[in-house]
Amino acid sequence: MKKVLKIILIVVICILSVCLIAGGASYTILRNASNAEEYTIGNDTIKSVKSVVDKRKATSVSTKNSTGVKTKSVHYESDSVQEDLIAYVQYLREEAGFNLTQDMDLRNIPSMVQMGKQSEDSGEILMLTIEYDTFGYTITLQKGKGTLTFYD
């Protein structure tokens, strides 16, 4: 009986240790995303939301590379979604070289903004999508081979 209790105790300690390590890593990734001055995907770099509108709370970060398309997404919480997006879209269009790929109206909530530009890497494009609601927004960067059709 004592042997079984020791094994159970060891298993519980191992599980708790793994949870603490995973939690710490997740916290570090989210903190770094909240404080990032720029987003980098391959050789392309653009200013982050934090650089344009101030620090926002990142609640999730994901990256993947599937069939030649690199994707990076960051979700932010914000009390000033429309103001953030107006400032960020203005930066993207006027300074970062992005153009709209579809009509947008930031007064429609929830909705999305989609923009694109040629990548720094020859033959590739960079797409940026912002999906938003009244509580926050997700910025998704995608990079891969393709062509662009601009709205404006």
Side-chain angles (χ1 to χ4, degrees):
M1 184 70 169
K2 286 184 180 183
K3 202 174 203 178
V4 172
L5 287 175
K6 283 182 181 179
I7 292 172
I8 291 173
L9 183 61
I10 290 170
V11 169
V12 168
I13 289 172
C14 289
I15 291 171
L16 286 174
S17 297
V18 168
C19 289
L20 286 172
I21 290 168
S26 295
Y27 173 76
T28 300
I29 290 169
L30 287 175
R31 187 185 71 217
N32 289 343
S34 293
N35 294 323
E37 293 290 330
E38 55 192 26
Y39 306 121
T40 302
I41 188 164
N43 290 323
D44 294 287
T45 303
I46 61 170
K47 286 183 183 178
S48 69
V49 167
K50 176 197 180 270
S51 295
V52 176
V53 299
D54 202 3
K55 186 175 179 179
R56 296 292 180 254
K57 181 180 179 184
T59 58
S60 68
V61 178
S62 68
T63 59
K64 70 178 180 177
N65 191 350
S66 176
T67 61
V69 177
K70 296 175 186 170
T71 304
K72 181 175 192 170
S73 293
V74 182
H75 180 77
Y76 296 92
E77 290 179 355
S78 176
D79 294 330
S80 55
V81 171
Q82 286 179 310
E83 293 84 0
D84 290 2
L85 296 183
I86 289 169
Y88 197 58
V89 167
Q90 183 177 357
Y91 153 74
L92 291 168
R93 293 183 80 189
E94 294 176 5
E95 296 179 42
F98 280 87
N99 291 298
L100 292 171
T101 59
Q102 65 184 30
D103 193 12
M104 75 167 202
D105 184 351
L106 294 176
R107 295 172 292 182
N108 290 337
I109 299 175
S111 192
M112 67 182 273
V113 175
Q114 190 172 58
M115 306 175 86
K117 73 175 192 171
Q118 292 299 315
S119 169
E120 295 293 323
D121 296 320
S122 180
E124 294 191 329
I125 61 170
L126 188 63
M127 295 295 297
L128 186 139
T129 305
I130 306 170
E131 295 179 81
Y132 59 93
D133 59 27
T134 54
F135 306 106
Y137 42 89
T138 301
I139 296 175
T140 302
L141 286 165
Q142 292 183 301
K143 179 179 177 173
K145 296 199 180 303
T147 59
L148 291 168
T149 302
F150 296 121
Y151 175 76
D152 49 2

